[in-house]
Short mmCIF file of all heavy atoms in Angstrom, two decimals:
data_model
loop_
_atom_site.label_atom_id
_atom_site.label_comp_id
_atom_site.label_asym_id
_atom_site.label_seq_id
_atom_site.Cartn_x
_atom_site.Cartn_y
_atom_site.Cartn_z
N ASP A 1 2.13 -2.43 0.60
CA ASP A 1 1.60 -1.75 1.79
C ASP A 1 0.59 -0.69 1.34
O ASP A 1 0.91 0.17 0.52
CB ASP A 1 2.74 -1.10 2.57
CG ASP A 1 2.26 -0.59 3.93
OD1 ASP A 1 1.23 0.09 3.96
OD2 ASP A 1 2.95 -0.88 4.93
N ASP A 2 -0.62 -0.75 1.89
CA ASP A 2 -1.66 0.20 1.47
C ASP A 2 -1.22 1.65 1.66
O ASP A 2 -1.56 2.52 0.86
CB ASP A 2 -2.96 -0.04 2.28
CG ASP A 2 -3.64 -1.34 1.87
OD1 ASP A 2 -3.32 -1.83 0.77
OD2 ASP A 2 -4.46 -1.84 2.65
N ASP A 3 -0.51 1.91 2.76
CA ASP A 3 -0.11 3.29 3.04
C ASP A 3 0.98 3.77 2.09
O ASP A 3 1.17 4.97 1.91
CB ASP A 3 0.40 3.40 4.48
CG ASP A 3 -0.71 3.13 5.48
OD1 ASP A 3 -1.88 3.41 5.14
OD2 ASP A 3 -0.41 2.63 6.58
N LYS A 4 1.72 2.84 1.51
CA LYS A 4 2.84 3.24 0.66
C LYS A 4 2.61 2.89 -0.81
O LYS A 4 3.50 3.06 -1.64
CB LYS A 4 4.12 2.53 1.14
CG LYS A 4 4.49 2.87 2.58
CD LYS A 4 5.71 2.08 3.01
CE LYS A 4 6.05 2.39 4.46
NZ LYS A 4 7.23 1.60 4.92
N LEU A 5 1.39 2.38 -1.12
CA LEU A 5 1.13 1.90 -2.47
C LEU A 5 1.27 3.01 -3.50
O LEU A 5 0.78 4.11 -3.32
CB LEU A 5 -0.29 1.32 -2.53
CG LEU A 5 -0.65 0.52 -3.78
CD1 LEU A 5 0.22 -0.72 -3.88
CD2 LEU A 5 -2.12 0.14 -3.77
N GLN A 6 1.97 2.66 -4.58
CA GLN A 6 2.15 3.61 -5.68
C GLN A 6 1.53 3.01 -6.94
O GLN A 6 1.62 1.80 -7.16
CB GLN A 6 3.63 3.88 -5.92
CG GLN A 6 4.31 4.52 -4.73
CD GLN A 6 5.80 4.65 -4.95
OE1 GLN A 6 6.32 4.32 -6.00
NE2 GLN A 6 6.49 5.14 -3.95
N PRO A 7 0.90 3.84 -7.80
CA PRO A 7 0.26 3.32 -9.02
C PRO A 7 1.30 2.96 -10.08
O PRO A 7 1.35 3.55 -11.15
CB PRO A 7 -0.64 4.48 -9.47
CG PRO A 7 0.08 5.70 -8.96
CD PRO A 7 0.72 5.28 -7.69
N THR A 8 2.12 1.94 -9.76
CA THR A 8 3.25 1.61 -10.62
C THR A 8 2.78 1.15 -12.00
O THR A 8 3.29 1.60 -13.02
CB THR A 8 4.09 0.49 -9.99
OG1 THR A 8 4.41 0.88 -8.66
CG2 THR A 8 5.36 0.24 -10.77
N TYR A 9 1.79 0.22 -12.04
CA TYR A 9 1.38 -0.32 -13.34
C TYR A 9 0.69 0.73 -14.20
O TYR A 9 0.86 0.75 -15.42
CB TYR A 9 0.45 -1.52 -13.14
CG TYR A 9 1.16 -2.70 -12.54
CD1 TYR A 9 0.89 -3.11 -11.25
CD2 TYR A 9 2.15 -3.38 -13.27
CE1 TYR A 9 1.56 -4.18 -10.69
CE2 TYR A 9 2.81 -4.46 -12.72
CZ TYR A 9 2.52 -4.86 -11.43
OH TYR A 9 3.17 -5.92 -10.88
N ILE A 10 -0.11 1.63 -13.56
CA ILE A 10 -0.76 2.69 -14.32
C ILE A 10 0.29 3.61 -14.93
O ILE A 10 0.22 3.98 -16.10
CB ILE A 10 -1.72 3.51 -13.41
CG1 ILE A 10 -2.82 2.60 -12.90
CG2 ILE A 10 -2.29 4.70 -14.16
CD1 ILE A 10 -3.72 3.25 -11.87
N GLN A 11 1.32 3.96 -14.12
CA GLN A 11 2.39 4.82 -14.64
C GLN A 11 3.10 4.16 -15.81
O GLN A 11 3.38 4.78 -16.82
CB GLN A 11 3.41 5.12 -13.53
CG GLN A 11 2.92 6.17 -12.55
CD GLN A 11 4.01 6.50 -11.55
OE1 GLN A 11 4.99 5.79 -11.42
NE2 GLN A 11 3.81 7.58 -10.83
N GLU A 12 3.37 2.85 -15.66
CA GLU A 12 4.09 2.16 -16.72
C GLU A 12 3.25 2.07 -17.99
O GLU A 12 3.76 2.14 -19.10
CB GLU A 12 4.49 0.76 -16.25
CG GLU A 12 5.61 0.78 -15.24
CD GLU A 12 5.98 -0.61 -14.77
OE1 GLU A 12 5.22 -1.55 -15.07
OE2 GLU A 12 7.02 -0.74 -14.11
N ALA A 13 1.94 1.93 -17.83
CA ALA A 13 1.06 1.85 -19.00
C ALA A 13 1.06 3.17 -19.75
O ALA A 13 1.01 3.21 -20.98
CB ALA A 13 -0.36 1.48 -18.58
N ILE A 14 1.09 4.26 -19.00
CA ILE A 14 1.08 5.57 -19.66
C ILE A 14 2.45 5.92 -20.19
O ILE A 14 2.59 6.37 -21.32
CB ILE A 14 0.61 6.64 -18.65
CG1 ILE A 14 -0.82 6.34 -18.19
CG2 ILE A 14 0.69 8.03 -19.26
CD1 ILE A 14 -1.30 7.23 -17.07
N SER A 15 3.45 5.73 -19.34
CA SER A 15 4.82 6.12 -19.73
C SER A 15 5.80 5.12 -19.13
O SER A 15 6.20 5.27 -17.98
CB SER A 15 5.12 7.53 -19.22
OG SER A 15 6.46 7.89 -19.52
N PRO A 16 6.11 4.05 -19.88
CA PRO A 16 7.00 3.01 -19.34
C PRO A 16 8.30 3.61 -18.82
O PRO A 16 8.93 4.42 -19.50
CB PRO A 16 7.26 2.11 -20.56
CG PRO A 16 6.13 2.38 -21.49
CD PRO A 16 5.76 3.81 -21.28
N LYS A 17 8.68 3.16 -17.61
CA LYS A 17 9.91 3.69 -17.02
C LYS A 17 10.63 2.58 -16.27
O LYS A 17 10.03 1.91 -15.44
CB LYS A 17 9.58 4.82 -16.04
CG LYS A 17 10.82 5.44 -15.39
CD LYS A 17 10.44 6.49 -14.38
CE LYS A 17 11.67 7.08 -13.71
NZ LYS A 17 11.36 8.08 -12.70
N GLN A 18 11.90 2.37 -16.62
CA GLN A 18 12.69 1.34 -15.96
C GLN A 18 13.38 1.93 -14.74
O GLN A 18 13.85 3.06 -14.77
CB GLN A 18 13.74 0.80 -16.94
CG GLN A 18 14.51 -0.39 -16.42
CD GLN A 18 15.49 -0.88 -17.45
OE1 GLN A 18 15.98 -0.12 -18.26
NE2 GLN A 18 15.77 -2.18 -17.42
N THR A 19 13.43 1.14 -13.65
CA THR A 19 14.14 1.59 -12.46
C THR A 19 15.62 1.72 -12.77
O THR A 19 16.23 0.77 -13.26
CB THR A 19 13.93 0.60 -11.31
OG1 THR A 19 12.54 0.48 -11.07
CG2 THR A 19 14.63 1.10 -10.05
N THR A 20 16.19 2.88 -12.53
CA THR A 20 17.60 3.11 -12.83
C THR A 20 18.45 3.03 -11.57
O THR A 20 17.93 3.02 -10.46
CB THR A 20 17.81 4.50 -13.48
OG1 THR A 20 17.51 5.49 -12.49
CG2 THR A 20 16.94 4.68 -14.69
N TYR A 21 19.76 3.00 -11.76
CA TYR A 21 20.68 2.99 -10.62
C TYR A 21 20.51 4.24 -9.77
O TYR A 21 20.53 4.19 -8.56
CB TYR A 21 22.11 2.89 -11.14
CG TYR A 21 23.16 2.89 -10.05
CD1 TYR A 21 23.43 1.73 -9.34
CD2 TYR A 21 23.85 4.05 -9.73
CE1 TYR A 21 24.37 1.73 -8.34
CE2 TYR A 21 24.79 4.05 -8.71
CZ TYR A 21 25.06 2.88 -8.03
OH TYR A 21 26.00 2.88 -7.04
N ASN A 22 20.31 5.38 -10.44
CA ASN A 22 20.13 6.64 -9.71
C ASN A 22 18.88 6.61 -8.84
O ASN A 22 18.87 7.13 -7.73
CB ASN A 22 20.07 7.82 -10.68
CG ASN A 22 21.43 8.24 -11.17
OD1 ASN A 22 22.44 7.95 -10.53
ND2 ASN A 22 21.48 8.91 -12.30
N ASP A 23 17.79 6.00 -9.38
CA ASP A 23 16.58 5.86 -8.58
C ASP A 23 16.86 5.07 -7.31
O ASP A 23 16.44 5.44 -6.21
CB ASP A 23 15.48 5.14 -9.38
CG ASP A 23 15.03 5.96 -10.58
OD1 ASP A 23 15.14 7.19 -10.52
OD2 ASP A 23 14.59 5.35 -11.57
N ALA A 24 17.57 3.96 -7.49
CA ALA A 24 17.89 3.10 -6.35
C ALA A 24 18.75 3.83 -5.34
O ALA A 24 18.50 3.77 -4.13
CB ALA A 24 18.61 1.84 -6.84
N ILE A 25 19.75 4.53 -5.82
CA ILE A 25 20.68 5.23 -4.93
C ILE A 25 19.95 6.31 -4.15
O ILE A 25 20.20 6.51 -2.95
CB ILE A 25 21.85 5.83 -5.73
CG1 ILE A 25 22.78 4.72 -6.20
CG2 ILE A 25 22.62 6.83 -4.89
CD1 ILE A 25 23.48 3.99 -5.06
N GLU A 26 19.03 7.03 -4.80
CA GLU A 26 18.30 8.09 -4.11
C GLU A 26 17.45 7.51 -2.97
O GLU A 26 17.37 8.08 -1.88
CB GLU A 26 17.42 8.85 -5.10
CG GLU A 26 18.24 9.79 -6.00
CD GLU A 26 17.38 10.42 -7.09
OE1 GLU A 26 16.14 10.21 -7.07
OE2 GLU A 26 17.94 11.09 -7.97
N MET A 27 16.84 6.35 -3.23
CA MET A 27 16.05 5.71 -2.19
C MET A 27 16.94 5.20 -1.06
O MET A 27 16.61 5.32 0.12
CB MET A 27 15.24 4.55 -2.79
CG MET A 27 14.16 4.99 -3.75
SD MET A 27 13.21 3.61 -4.40
CE MET A 27 12.15 4.45 -5.56
N ILE A 28 18.10 4.62 -1.43
CA ILE A 28 19.05 4.14 -0.42
C ILE A 28 19.52 5.31 0.44
O ILE A 28 19.65 5.20 1.66
CB ILE A 28 20.25 3.44 -1.10
CG1 ILE A 28 19.79 2.14 -1.75
CG2 ILE A 28 21.36 3.16 -0.09
CD1 ILE A 28 20.82 1.52 -2.65
N THR A 29 19.78 6.44 -0.22
CA THR A 29 20.22 7.63 0.51
C THR A 29 19.20 8.04 1.55
O THR A 29 19.54 8.37 2.69
CB THR A 29 20.45 8.79 -0.47
OG1 THR A 29 21.36 8.38 -1.47
CG2 THR A 29 21.02 10.00 0.26
N MET A 30 17.93 8.02 1.14
CA MET A 30 16.86 8.42 2.06
C MET A 30 16.78 7.46 3.24
O MET A 30 16.68 7.87 4.40
CB MET A 30 15.52 8.43 1.32
CG MET A 30 14.35 8.88 2.19
SD MET A 30 12.82 8.95 1.25
CE MET A 30 12.54 7.21 0.92
N ILE A 31 16.88 6.14 2.97
CA ILE A 31 16.83 5.15 4.04
C ILE A 31 18.01 5.31 4.97
O ILE A 31 17.88 5.30 6.19
CB ILE A 31 16.81 3.72 3.44
CG1 ILE A 31 15.51 3.51 2.66
CG2 ILE A 31 16.95 2.67 4.53
CD1 ILE A 31 15.50 2.25 1.85
N ASP A 32 19.21 5.45 4.39
CA ASP A 32 20.43 5.60 5.18
C ASP A 32 20.36 6.84 6.06
O ASP A 32 20.73 6.81 7.24
CB ASP A 32 21.64 5.68 4.25
CG ASP A 32 22.94 5.79 5.03
OD1 ASP A 32 23.26 4.85 5.77
OD2 ASP A 32 23.63 6.81 4.88
N LYS A 33 19.85 7.93 5.49
CA LYS A 33 19.75 9.18 6.25
C LYS A 33 18.77 9.02 7.40
O LYS A 33 19.04 9.44 8.53
CB LYS A 33 19.31 10.32 5.33
CG LYS A 33 19.32 11.69 6.00
CD LYS A 33 18.97 12.77 4.98
CE LYS A 33 19.07 14.15 5.63
NZ LYS A 33 18.21 14.31 6.80
N GLN A 34 17.63 8.39 7.11
CA GLN A 34 16.63 8.22 8.16
C GLN A 34 17.15 7.33 9.29
O GLN A 34 16.89 7.58 10.46
CB GLN A 34 15.36 7.61 7.57
CG GLN A 34 14.59 8.59 6.68
CD GLN A 34 13.43 7.92 5.97
OE1 GLN A 34 13.31 6.69 5.97
NE2 GLN A 34 12.56 8.72 5.36
N SER A 35 17.90 6.27 8.92
CA SER A 35 18.39 5.34 9.94
C SER A 35 19.48 5.96 10.81
O SER A 35 19.69 5.52 11.94
CB SER A 35 18.92 4.07 9.27
OG SER A 35 20.08 4.36 8.51
N LYS A 36 20.17 6.96 10.30
CA LYS A 36 21.28 7.54 11.05
C LYS A 36 21.00 8.94 11.59
O LYS A 36 21.82 9.49 12.32
CB LYS A 36 22.53 7.57 10.17
CG LYS A 36 23.11 6.20 9.89
CD LYS A 36 24.42 6.28 9.11
CE LYS A 36 25.02 4.91 8.91
NZ LYS A 36 26.29 4.97 8.14
N ASP A 37 19.86 9.51 11.23
CA ASP A 37 19.56 10.87 11.68
C ASP A 37 19.55 11.00 13.20
O ASP A 37 19.94 12.03 13.76
CB ASP A 37 18.20 11.32 11.12
CG ASP A 37 18.36 12.00 9.77
OD1 ASP A 37 19.52 12.23 9.35
OD2 ASP A 37 17.34 12.30 9.12
N LYS A 38 19.12 9.95 13.90
CA LYS A 38 19.05 10.00 15.37
C LYS A 38 20.44 10.14 15.99
O LYS A 38 20.57 10.55 17.14
CB LYS A 38 18.36 8.76 15.91
CG LYS A 38 19.07 7.46 15.62
CD LYS A 38 18.34 6.27 16.23
CE LYS A 38 18.67 6.12 17.69
NZ LYS A 38 18.15 4.85 18.28
N TYR A 39 21.49 9.77 15.20
CA TYR A 39 22.86 9.86 15.72
C TYR A 39 23.54 11.18 15.31
O TYR A 39 24.72 11.37 15.59
CB TYR A 39 23.69 8.69 15.20
CG TYR A 39 23.13 7.34 15.57
CD1 TYR A 39 22.53 6.53 14.61
CD2 TYR A 39 23.19 6.87 16.88
CE1 TYR A 39 22.01 5.29 14.94
CE2 TYR A 39 22.66 5.63 17.23
CZ TYR A 39 22.08 4.84 16.25
OH TYR A 39 21.57 3.62 16.58
N ARG A 40 22.80 12.04 14.64
CA ARG A 40 23.38 13.30 14.17
C ARG A 40 22.77 14.52 14.85
O ARG A 40 22.80 15.62 14.30
CB ARG A 40 23.21 13.41 12.65
CG ARG A 40 23.99 12.36 11.85
CD ARG A 40 24.03 12.73 10.38
NE ARG A 40 24.85 11.80 9.61
CZ ARG A 40 24.37 10.78 8.92
NH1 ARG A 40 23.05 10.55 8.91
NH2 ARG A 40 25.17 9.99 8.24
N LEU A 41 22.23 14.35 16.01
CA LEU A 41 21.65 15.48 16.73
C LEU A 41 22.75 16.42 17.22
O LEU A 41 22.54 17.62 17.38
CB LEU A 41 20.81 14.99 17.91
CG LEU A 41 19.59 14.12 17.52
CD1 LEU A 41 18.87 13.65 18.78
CD2 LEU A 41 18.66 14.89 16.60
N LYS A 42 23.95 15.87 17.46
CA LYS A 42 25.11 16.68 17.86
C LYS A 42 26.32 16.24 17.06
O LYS A 42 26.53 15.03 16.88
CB LYS A 42 25.41 16.48 19.37
CG LYS A 42 24.30 16.97 20.28
CD LYS A 42 24.61 16.63 21.73
CE LYS A 42 23.43 17.03 22.64
NZ LYS A 42 23.67 16.63 24.05
N ASN A 43 27.09 17.22 16.58
CA ASN A 43 28.31 16.85 15.86
C ASN A 43 29.38 16.40 16.85
O ASN A 43 29.21 16.52 18.07
CB ASN A 43 28.80 17.99 14.97
CG ASN A 43 29.22 19.22 15.76
OD1 ASN A 43 29.80 19.13 16.83
ND2 ASN A 43 28.93 20.40 15.20
N LYS A 44 30.48 15.89 16.34
CA LYS A 44 31.47 15.27 17.23
C LYS A 44 32.12 16.29 18.18
O LYS A 44 32.50 15.94 19.30
CB LYS A 44 32.53 14.52 16.42
CG LYS A 44 33.42 15.37 15.54
CD LYS A 44 34.37 14.47 14.75
CE LYS A 44 35.34 15.27 13.91
NZ LYS A 44 36.24 14.40 13.09
#
C-alpha cells in the first residue's frame, strides 16, 4: 500500500533485521486495540 509503504529492503541492506515474535505481538496489540477501542468508551 502506497500510504503504508515502508523502506524494508533499504533498511535490510543497511542493517539486516529479522522480524521477531515481539515485533509481531506489538503489531497485533495495536490492531486488537484499534478494533476494540470503540467498545471501551464506557467501562462496565
Side-chain angles (χ1 to χ4, degrees):
D1 190 311
D2 289 341
D3 295 330
K4 300 177 182 179
L5 191 64
Q6 298 174 3
T8 308
Y9 293 111
I10 297 173
Q11 283 185 345
E12 287 180 348
I14 298 172
S15 177
K17 181 183 178 182
Q18 187 178 29
T19 302
T20 67
Y21 179 79
N22 281 338
D23 295 333
I25 288 295
E26 285 173 6
M27 292 182 184
I28 292 169
T29 305
M30 182 177 68
I31 294 170
D32 182 63
K33 186 176 184 303
Q34 289 174 348
S35 67
K36 290 185 176 179
D37 270 353
K38 63 178 279 189
Y39 302 108
R40 295 193 176 97
L41 298 178
K42 296 175 184 176
N43 64 38
K44 65 183 183 183

